[in-house]
Amino acid sequence: MEKFNPADKIQDLQYFGEFGGVNPSISDSSTYTFLSAKTMFDTFEGNAEGCYLYSRHSSPSNLYLDKALAAMEGTETANVSASGMGAITPTLLQLCSNGDHIVTSRTIYGGTYAFLKNFTPRFGIKTTFVDITKLDLVEAAITPDTKVLYCETVSNPLLEVADIAGLAKIAKKYNLKLVVDNTFSPLSVAPISLGADIVIHSLTKYINGSSDTVGGVTCASREFINSLKDVNSGASMLLGPTMDSLRSASVMKNLRTLHIRMKQHSHNAMYLATKFEKDGLKVVYPGLESHPSHSLYATMINPEYGFGGMITIDAGSIDKANELMELMQEKNLGYLAVSLGFYKTLFSAPGTSTSSEIPLEEQKEMGLTDGLIRFSIGLDNDIERTYQSMKECMLALGVL
């Protein structure tokens, strides 16, 4: 059987611009004309292939990116959106309605956590948060009302690894949909090949890679994506998280270099994680043998793209964490900023930033300490030089 390599799938896509350009033309229109009234009617009914109705529904530029991202994840099709949350929220609302139940990881992106904890109960949708690494707890949380298992391949910010194949077996046993946020591990992990039903990305992060655009995507079967875009009942169509065509074209260009960037992000993160652990820091990185899910993750990844570019260290306290981040920024080692996937290293204290939506008592219960620093490791050419400079900062502040 041919090995699935997402970078090859992206490379094999070839689009010509309207005038023969090597980049596809950008469809800078919000609405589209029809040669006949019947064709317009058929398009509203979803029966006119290749016709465009209105850019909130679809546009040529967005469909180019849809096709590329579907190829990357091995799904029939995809639907891009204006943000990562613009992909997550319609997907879950399309799958669930009043009285339904979701089982999800206790450590997920703060925005997703807030949506499930605070927002979906308004619609009668309940969520149980569990330790996703313990399959027995996942199965025990399932009720007759459960419709969805939701996880992140590598969780934000604790870098816990979900056993996607194990979760897929549970999902199939109970006729549930397994939805996987693969934002931290594009190219490295192919959740569909492990049994997932739907894959989500925040395109803002690694896939775009230049911190100049927000975007999201839902990769799934044609049937599900069509339901999202249905003019009468589709959550994406009716809630309107549409990606702009100019942004879509920009992401499409950056997608072409994703494989090169992911290799360097992973190489640099592995180097720093190994060095910091030897120095005596408490380091979490799936590429380290000390990571509780290292062996599992090693079987899930395409080793060509490594274990990813995210690591965490514990500076001991929030004051030390803040001092260290401020000093590293001052020394031009990166930016004290949220998000990830940028060419420069980004660092933040998740407990007071990207996971601040999670109550403090729940942060402590899941092991999210106030001294935790999350690093999105950049594309530094000389990673030894970076390491030495970071170590000097840590020594100066007594972190080491």
Side-chain angles (χ1 to χ4, degrees):
M1 191 172 87
E2 181 188 357
K3 184 180 178 183
F4 178 74
N5 191 317
D8 291 346
K9 298 296 183 183
I10 295 169
Q11 181 183 332
D12 289 345
L13 292 171
Q14 191 160 320
Y15 302 127
F16 293 96
E18 185 179 0
F19 302 104
V22 295
N23 287 309
S25 303
I26 300 172
S27 53
D28 196 19
S29 293
S30 60
T31 191
Y32 299 85
T33 60
F34 293 88
L35 295 180
S36 72
K38 183 182 184 307
T39 307
M40 179 181 281
F41 172 78
D42 288 341
T43 305
F44 263 100
E45 294 295 305
N47 300 323
E49 190 70 31
C51 292
Y52 299 98
L53 175 65
Y54 181 58
S55 283
R56 176 158 54 85
H57 181 263
S58 65
S59 70
S61 291
N62 285 3
L63 289 177
Y64 284 133
L65 186 55
D66 289 343
K67 187 175 180 181
L69 294 167
M72 183 187 81
E73 285 296 354
T75 59
E76 289 180 339
T77 189
N79 184 52
V80 294
S81 57
S83 69
M85 289 303 294
I88 292 166
T89 54
T91 296
L92 292 175
L93 291 175
Q94 194 68 30
L95 292 169
C96 298
S97 55
N98 185 33
D100 290 340
H101 176 245
I102 296 169
V103 176
T104 186
S105 172
R106 62 182 184 173
T107 61
I108 49 176
Y109 170 58
T112 311
Y113 175 92
F115 176 68
L116 293 173
K117 183 84 171 181
N118 305 326
F119 198 84
T120 53
R122 300 183 193 179
F123 303 100
I125 300 169
K126 296 179 180 178
T127 299
T128 300
F129 298 87
V130 300
D131 182 343
I132 206 72
T133 66
K134 293 181 169 60
L135 296 181
D136 57 332
L137 296 182
V138 173
E139 190 163 8
I142 294 170
T143 75
D145 297 325
T146 307
K147 292 293 188 292
V148 171
L149 289 185
Y150 183 92
C151 69
E152 296 168 348
T153 305
V154 179
S155 75
N156 185 0
L158 295 183
L159 309 186
E160 293 179 342
V161 174
D163 180 355
I164 296 173
L167 291 168
K169 288 178 183 176
I170 294 172
K172 285 173 175 54
K173 179 179 177 181
Y174 294 94
N175 195 29
L176 312 176
K177 293 295 183 185
L178 175 57
V179 182
V180 179
D181 182 337
N182 202 34
T183 297
F184 276 24
S185 42
L187 304 185
S188 288
V189 179
I192 294 295
S193 69
L194 296 171
D197 297 292
I198 297 169
V199 179
I200 287 171
H201 283 274
S202 169
L203 303 179
T204 313
K205 315 303 193 302
Y206 284 116
I207 289 175
N208 186 55
S210 50
S211 290
D212 59 359
T213 295
V214 290
V217 68
T218 301
C219 303
S221 66
R222 189 170 301 282
E223 179 184 13
F224 181 72
I225 296 301
N226 284 347
S227 75
L228 273 180
K229 297 164 71 172
D230 187 280
V231 296
N232 294 307
S233 60
S236 286
M237 181 64 179
L238 298 176
L239 296 174
T242 310
M243 176 170 266
D244 178 75
S245 291
L246 294 171
R247 287 304 190 189
S248 187
S250 175
V251 175
M252 185 71 174
K253 294 185 186 84
N254 288 345
L255 178 65
R256 301 293 190 179
T257 63
L258 178 62
H259 62 294
I260 301 169
R261 292 185 280 111
M262 286 311 300
K263 290 175 186 179
Q264 190 68 17
H265 283 303
S266 292
H267 168 77
N268 287 352
M270 177 65 95
Y271 187 93
L272 290 177
T274 302
K275 288 284 193 178
F276 289 150
E277 187 172 63
K278 285 181 179 176
D279 289 334
L281 280 174
K282 184 180 178 183
V283 183
V284 176
Y285 180 63
L288 296 174
E289 290 186 9
S290 58
H291 190 286
S293 299
H294 171 74
S295 297
L296 168 66
Y297 201 49
T299 67
M300 291 169 56
I301 66 168
N302 183 330
E304 186 177 351
Y305 306 107
F307 289 88
M310 305 299 296
I311 70 173
T312 70
I313 69 164
D314 198 324
S317 69
I318 187 62
D319 290 337
K320 283 290 183 188
N322 289 340
E323 285 178 338
L324 178 58
M325 291 187 293
E326 289 168 4
L327 183 58
M328 288 190 296
Q329 180 167 258
E330 184 183 318
K331 298 293 185 182
N332 197 29
L333 292 168
Y335 296 110
L336 206 176
V338 298
S339 202
L340 51 125
F342 193 42
Y343 75 93
K344 288 277 282 187
T345 294
L346 304 177
F347 30 82
S348 61
T352 54
S353 59
T354 54
S355 296
S356 59
E357 297 93 337
I358 303 173
L360 287 175
E361 62 273 14
E362 292 185 33
Q363 290 186 26
K364 289 178 182 176
E365 186 180 321
M366 66 178 63
L368 177 48
T369 59
D370 62 2
L372 192 79
I373 301 176
R374 190 193 74 177
F375 287 79
S376 167
I377 304 302
L379 300 174
D380 308 35
N381 179 59
D382 186 349
I383 194 63
E384 167 64 20
R385 173 174 171 262
T386 299
Y387 162 67
Q388 292 295 345
S389 297
M390 286 184 172
K391 185 176 181 180
E392 287 174 12
C393 293
M394 293 173 184
L395 287 168
L397 296 173
V399 174
L400 272 178

